[in-house]
Amino acid sequence: MDGIGERIRCLREARKLSMNELEDLLGASRGSVNKWEKGSIPGGRYLVLLSDFFSVSTDWILRGEEYLPKAAKGMPAGASTEDLKLFNKFLLLTERQKGRIEGHVDEMLEGMTEGSTGRISSSSHNGNQSKEFTPRPGHIDF
């Protein structure tokens, strides 16, 4: 992402919030989010509130660096920066989207224990027919 405005807009849209809704949640005056999304830098108080609300570092909001969740403190010691980035993106999803991804991950993990044919075979959770799942890099349907 190029600038502070785009980062704030993407965070807001990922949570499906209007500008007014975000302003209400943060206690900001009308027009504040619009100004921020046009590139104005939020004041210190609002920068911290945005950081806490979206679980991203203030550095990421300001500079696009260190896109790490504050929850990273609880991540396993071996977690890479890429793991933390993925986790932070996951936090921005809706509960429905998280559930769908969890289902995909479960299928992939089941396939890893069943063999390494490149195809993951699993039974649905309700005991119906078995289905084939071929993961495509970078593709998850929401």
Side-chain angles (χ1 to χ4, degrees):
M1 278 176 240
D2 293 329
I4 187 171
E6 184 180 352
R7 287 187 290 278
I8 292 171
R9 181 186 53 77
C10 286
L11 289 168
R12 178 182 59 79
E13 289 178 350
R15 292 277 180 99
K16 299 187 183 334
L17 294 170
S18 70
M19 290 181 183
N20 288 343
E21 289 170 328
L22 182 56
E23 290 162 348
D24 290 344
L25 288 166
L26 300 177
S29 60
R30 288 290 180 248
S32 295
V33 173
N34 186 39
K35 286 191 324 189
W36 301 336
E37 290 185 8
K38 288 183 177 180
S40 177
I41 298 173
R45 174 177 181 247
Y46 293 108
L47 182 60
V48 171
L49 288 171
L50 286 165
S51 170
D52 288 343
F53 181 76
F54 290 115
S55 296
V56 296
S57 70
T58 54
D59 285 342
W60 185 79
I61 293 172
L62 291 170
R63 300 183 302 187
E65 297 173 6
E66 298 183 29
Y67 184 38
L68 304 175
K70 291 183 174 184
K73 295 175 189 166
M75 295 291 286
S80 69
T81 300
E82 291 304 312
D83 294 334
L84 297 175
K85 286 179 183 178
L86 183 60
F87 178 69
N88 202 39
K89 289 178 183 179
F90 182 79
L91 292 175
L92 296 174
L93 299 175
T94 66
E95 292 305 312
R96 181 174 179 260
Q97 292 168 327
K98 289 177 184 177
R100 294 188 71 185
I101 288 177
E102 184 177 16
H104 286 295
V105 170
D106 287 345
E107 289 177 352
M108 288 181 210
L109 291 173
E110 288 174 16
M112 289 173 61
T113 59
E114 293 173 8
S116 58
T117 62
R119 295 183 71 78
I120 298 173
S121 176
S122 65
S123 299
S124 63
H125 295 291
N126 61 7
N128 289 343
Q129 296 179 355
S130 177
K131 62 180 178 177
E132 292 285 338
F133 174 75
T134 304
R136 291 180 280 164
H139 176 79
I140 296 180
D141 291 323
F142 292 105

